[in-house]
Every structure is written in C-alpha cells, then in structure tokens.
Amino acid sequence: MSPPRVPTLPAPASRVTDCRLIDLPRVTDSRGNLTFIEAEHHAPFPIQRVYYLYDVPGGEVRGGHAHKELQQFIIAASGSFDVVLDDGRERQRYHLNRSYFGLYMPRLIWRELDNFSSGSVCLVLASAHYNEADYIRSYPEYCRIVDSLPRPA
Ligand code: TYD
C-alpha cells in the first residue's frame, strides 16, 4: 500500500514557543510508579504510532530533521537525553530526565536529540504513520520552507 499523501503546507509556521513540556499523571506506589498517556487528553493529538530509540551509543546524535505535518510527543522513558528545538529563528534545548514529562512538538520544528545517557530509552508518540514524504532532512531547505510561511504574531 502506498504511504499516505502529505497535504500541502498550510500557514502558519510553528515556533519553538509552541513546544511545551506536559506534566503527565503519576500514580505513585511503593511497588513502583505508574504514568499513563491518553490520546487527545495528555498528548494533544490522536496517537497513530509509537516508536522508541534505545541502545544509543554515547555521543551519538539522532533526529536532524523536521516534519511537514507530523506532531510528536517525546518522553524519556528511561535515563536522560537532550532535545534541541529550532524554528529557523530561535533554538531551545530541553533536558528530559523524568518519565512523567512529555515534550510536545507541533509540525515544522527542526529537532536534534543528543546527550543520551547510558541505557536511556526515548519513547515517541506520533500523530501519523511513518511516511518519508513528511520529512524535511535538509536544514537549509527547512529554513526556506518556514521563511516562506507566515509567522504567527
Ligand atoms: P529517522 O526518523 O530518520 O531517525 P533519525 O532522524 O534519528 O535518523 O528514522 C531512522 C530510520 O528508521 C529511517 O530510515 C526510517 C526508519 N523508521 C521507520 O521505518 N519507521 C518509523 O516509525 C521511524 C520513526 C523510522
């Protein structure tokens, strides 16, 4: 089956300040704690896909791309790592080290993940199935695209 088509980019561009840390519910228990995520409640979109990064060697960098339409929600399920967000004008680095915080990213945000601790697990909830056509993998191309879109005030 062919991958779903990615719709043409509607206005506006996203900003780093549209990304936010979301505090997830914590059911603390002497037997071990529990956190849950409900689509459209804690993650602000219907979840269509879950993937995770693990066994990341020290010093490696993942990401290095943006998505035309995909929204994502990133959790440090184990250990810690940094997420560097970039909207073509501003950059912000988040250090994720608690499994009860999720970092929400709208579409059109350039992201890189680095500083992975040993044994860390980066859990990602995504708003759509995998589709290579949704990726922007060149930073100059990303800047051209976002510069061509209106910026919210
Ligand atoms: P990618 O998203 O490009 O990760 P990174 O930017 O950190 O390198 O994914 C790496 C590879 O994994 C890519 O070739 C596509 C594949 N992949 C899937 O098949 N399904 C998925 O859900 C994801 C996220 C990646």
Side-chain angles (χ1 to χ4, degrees), residues 69-133:
E69 297 298 331
L70 192 73
Q71 301 173 70
Q72 291 185 296
F73 193 76
I74 300 187
I75 300 134
S78 184
S80 65
F81 50 85
D82 289 3
V83 185
V84 181
L85 304 173
D86 183 322
D87 61 15
R89 291 188 184 176
E90 277 182 61
R91 284 199 144 215
Q92 188 164 357
R93 178 179 287 270
Y94 283 91
H95 181 62
L96 298 186
N97 62 354
R98 294 281 181 264
S99 39
Y100 48 83
F101 282 126
L103 177 61
Y104 168 69
M105 291 181 301
R107 66 180 205 140
L108 284 173
I109 295 287
W110 186 268
R111 86 290 309 270
E112 286 165 10
L113 288 80
D114 62 15
N115 197 23
F116 286 89
S117 69
S118 172
S120 57
V121 178
C122 169
L123 176 66
V124 186
L125 314 180
S127 64
H129 291 183
Y130 173 76
N131 184 358
E132 185 60 34

Side-chain angles (χ1 to χ4, degrees), residues 49 51 53 61-65 67 72 130 132 135 137:
R49 176 167 50 117
Y51 66 91
L53 295 168
V61 179
R62 299 295 313 230
H65 61 253
H67 288 280
Q72 291 185 296
Y130 173 76
E132 185 60 34
Y135 279 73
R137 292 195 181 272

Side-chain angles (χ1 to χ4, degrees), residues 130-142:
Y130 173 76
N131 184 358
E132 185 60 34
D134 185 63
Y135 279 73
I136 306 166
R137 292 195 181 272
S138 147
Y139 187 70
E141 185 196 350
Y142 168 73

Side-chain angles (χ1 to χ4, degrees), residues 23-38 42 99-100:
D23 202 355
L24 296 166
R26 263 178 278 175
V27 185
T28 54
D29 192 306
S30 57
R31 300 169 300 160
N33 301 331
L34 183 152
T35 283
F36 57 93
I37 305 164
E38 295 177 351
H42 308 105
S99 39
Y100 48 83

